[in-house]
Amino acid sequence: MKKLLSLICIGLITATACNDRAFLDVQPRSILDNDQAFSEPNQVLSILADLYNRQLDISTLKDWVTFADFSESFPSENGRVEIVQRNSWGFGAWGTWDYGYVRDLNLFIERATAAKALTDVQKTRFLAEARFLRAAYYFEMAKRMGGVPLILQSLVYELGSDPGKLQYPRSKEAEIYDFVIKEAEAIKNDLPADVNQKSRATKAAALAMEARAALYAGSIARYGVNTPQVSLPGEEVGIPAAKANGYYTQALTAAREIINGNAGSYALYMKKNELSENFANIFIDKANNPESIFVEDFKLKSGKVHNFTVVNQPRYGAEEEEGGRINPSLNLLLAFEKLDNTFAPLSITDGGGQPVFYNQQIDIFAGRDARLAGTIMLPGSIFRERAVDIWAGYQLADGSILTGDDRGAQKKLPGTNTNVQVVGFDGPVPGKEFTAQTGFYLRKYLDPAPGAGSRGTNSELPFIRYRYAEVLLNAAEAAFELGQKDVAASYMNQVRARAGLINPLNAADITFDRIVHERRVELAFEGHIFYDMKRWRLAHIVWDGNKLSTSDLLTNLGKAAKRSTQPYGLWAYKLYNPASPNNGKWLYKIVLPQAVTGANRFQLGNYYSFIDDNIRANNPKIVRQPNQ
């Protein structure tokens, strides 16, 4: 009997083993092999969509904090005030080294090239898009890291082989920019010249990337001489000055291809009669927007939406009472010039030091560049058909302030028995998060659509990576650097006229300060100021770590090297003095929000982000960044 049982067990074990072998030979039904994945255009497109979704931006609508730095705004959330309380950035800030993404892009290019089921037309476009994304990421790496290993094929380590063949050294910084420019030129005609394609690479997107990359390389070559310490002997960091004009010429040529219509009919957005509303609408109008060239798109009920409006809208009256985080600074506001092309502080006091009174809150901002109210939500301005209620309290006859400790707080005015509102429902309340601590809210990218401020719905506004106005400004800067000031003026005047600055600048008016100023106000909160200040080698000057005095704030307006280390604010008060003819009128006071205790200091070691010790340990050919 025991012998019989043993035979049965052996038989069962043998049978099971046979089944296991059969099981292991079964191909998984939920995983496609390479041939299957690249056998059908829609499957290839889905793989490509994942690569599009992994693009890297310095600012993104998916994370409001990426907009809240560099003293251009105050972060009105207690958990984020460290941004205005630290005195410097770490060397690792802004770093990226995602060779997993590079490998996936290289694999896509290799597999799409080998795919037999795709037509030549399909293959050409898919390959051009993948090469665009790979060039875009190398551009992003160059901006942050300088020269990096340029790897254009998938690498495979064979067990027991020499790992040294996988260890690539850093390329020269110029070689990475050259690669980006060369790739854009190589693929531009393989991409559609279609202004209605916004979220996939087009000919215009490739040219816009090329123009921006060449401009960056040119300015690093030209202005790098001002910071000789920010360089390496092997040129992994730094670009020789002799290359500057060549890059500026490439930037101007690429930009002109877009301007001349060779990549489609792009134009400045001009659909609204009211100029500030028109400017704000550039970032709201998804349908037939002639200005946007390349965007990260979002779509309601698709799973890809963002909460940028939820967290930044004026909190009072908003869905779920959420919002209020990004408060633009007075520093930025003062950069918006007057309509006569001059720079001037706001009229807060008269020649005798006495307050200037205004009938309406908004009056103090009258006669300024229309982009101001299109970028920043000012006290008394309208959002979603409601006047934004931003004011800090009453100034009484003796000059003292009567205010409250919460939004819309009520108290009795002197000589009265009835409580009245003594502070705005949108703040500012000193130290209270989510209120307008600078006296302003952000306007750009806020979605007025019903539900956009609700966490259950969110917003589908796209984030614009390239737009036509930037192309014009890139062309203007390149022309200026090449000594073609009249050409620069013609491009810059187009952008300015759209903002109501109708007195054209002449060639003699075009200076480096003008170039820097125009980009700051036109492209505010679009992720440019950080890279612009770096490539012009101005970052360590503008953010020099010294606290910003009121005098600093109000002088040298329009100057490229103006200090801006702490975000200031401007608070509105209402006068309560029944005996005064100004009773009930508005006055303003400059304030430094009480949470601001630090002062931004950009160190020379911040020009290029730290390369992790583990990366350098695994690849001894990677040289260390300078000044770290």
Side-chain angles (χ1 to χ4, degrees), residues 422-473:
V422 295
V423 66
F425 278 100
D426 291 309
V429 178
K432 190 173 184 61
E433 62 181 344
F434 311 131
T435 69
Q437 293 295 289
T438 62
F440 312 112
Y441 287 124
L442 182 67
R443 176 73 186 89
K444 187 177 279 188
Y445 276 123
L446 283 201
D447 188 350
S454 164
R455 281 170 287 196
T457 303
N458 289 306
S459 174
E460 63 176 1
L461 291 189
F463 175 67
I464 302 176
R465 291 191 169 107
Y466 292 101
R467 63 182 173 100
Y468 186 70
E470 188 216 341
V471 172
L472 288 172
L473 294 183

Side-chain angles (χ1 to χ4, degrees), residues 150-222:
L150 184 60
I151 301 173
L152 303 178
Q153 59 184 348
S154 59
L155 303 180
V156 178
Y157 174 68
E158 296 177 0
L159 190 61
S161 64
D162 177 14
K165 67 178 184 180
L166 303 180
Q167 294 171 338
Y168 282 55
R170 296 177 66 181
S171 298
K172 294 179 181 179
E173 185 171 14
E175 290 173 339
I176 301 300
Y177 282 104
D178 290 344
F179 168 72
V180 175
I181 294 165
K182 183 180 177 182
E183 282 291 272
E185 274 296 306
I187 63 175
K188 66 181 183 183
N189 291 323
D190 292 339
L191 295 166
D194 184 354
V195 296
N196 297 313
Q197 291 273 342
K198 304 290 188 184
S199 58
R200 293 179 66 180
T202 60
K203 181 177 182 179
L207 287 166
M209 178 176 69
E210 179 183 352
R212 190 191 287 177
L215 188 71
Y216 279 30
S219 48
I220 292 168
R222 175 139 303 162

